[in-house]
Amino acid sequence: MGARNLMSHAITVDDLPPSTAEFVRGEGRARGLADVLADVTHGLRTDEETMNRESRGGPTSDRYVVEMLLTPELLIVAHRQSDDAETDPGARVRFHPLDQLEVTLPTAGPRLAMPARSIPVTSTPLGGARRATYQLPIAIDADVDRFREALLQAAQAARA
């Protein structure tokens, strides 16, 4: 069994590595969108590191980066395994239209012995074939609370 370390903090478009920003813009263009980063109002980055114990060769570590960027019309979620989308062939980005996005809030009760470590969103991303729930990883932080509140307000405004 391994350990999991999450760190989240607010970001702006200027905080994205240049190759990641271009990757996100390119994926947006491929879906017929104008510059998807032009209208970002809020951003959140989560760095996740998992330590795995190996029987031979010692422990290993995996690092994942998730950036969530909010515009008045979209939630943009970029995933990659390194700081540079150019060096991660598995990097991906999803564009979730806010007018059909559902955000699940944690509920009080005995099941929540520990604080929530994700923001569950249900959506059919642009170019996606079906509606699904995505668990966006987060740490417990004031920046996360501000982002979640902005996301809820933006989704509500888009549906109105």
Side-chain angles (χ1 to χ4, degrees):
M1 185 165 181
R4 179 180 184 208
N5 184 32
L6 287 171
M7 295 186 318
S8 296
H9 60 277
I11 60 168
T12 67
V13 171
D14 294 335
D15 296 323
L16 293 173
S19 62
T20 298
E22 187 50 41
F23 174 69
V24 170
R25 285 184 177 107
E27 291 294 307
R29 284 190 300 271
R31 288 168 180 81
L33 302 171
D35 183 359
V36 294
L37 299 180
D39 295 325
V40 170
T41 59
H42 294 80
L44 186 72
R45 176 180 170 147
T46 298
D47 294 285
E48 178 180 6
E49 186 173 9
T50 57
M51 297 292 292
N52 300 307
R53 295 184 187 152
E54 300 252 336
S55 59
R56 292 180 264 159
T60 61
S61 173
D62 291 317
R63 184 161 183 259
Y64 300 94
V65 178
V66 177
E67 276 117 358
M68 294 166 261
L69 304 163
L70 185 60
T71 77
E73 296 178 359
L74 294 170
L75 170 63
I76 303 164
V77 182
H79 299 261
R80 60 187 189 285
Q81 215 169 344
S82 70
D83 279 331
D84 189 352
E86 225 170 67
T87 62
D88 183 1
R92 65 190 184 281
V93 63
R94 289 189 178 102
F95 301 94
H96 300 275
L98 291 179
D99 62 351
Q100 56 91 43
L101 182 86
E102 293 175 35
V103 180
T104 306
L105 293 176
T107 57
R111 290 182 351 136
L112 281 182
M114 294 184 61
R117 302 295 261 180
S118 68
I119 300 174
V121 297
T122 303
S123 169
T124 304
L126 294 178
R130 64 184 175 92
R131 192 166 177 80
T133 299
Y134 300 89
Q135 300 290 331
L136 306 177
I138 54 167
I140 305 306
D141 185 273
D143 286 344
V144 171
D145 293 336
R146 284 187 288 276
F147 183 83
R148 187 187 342 247
E149 185 60 32
L151 177 60
L152 288 167
Q153 288 177 2
Q156 185 177 34
R159 285 190 300 270

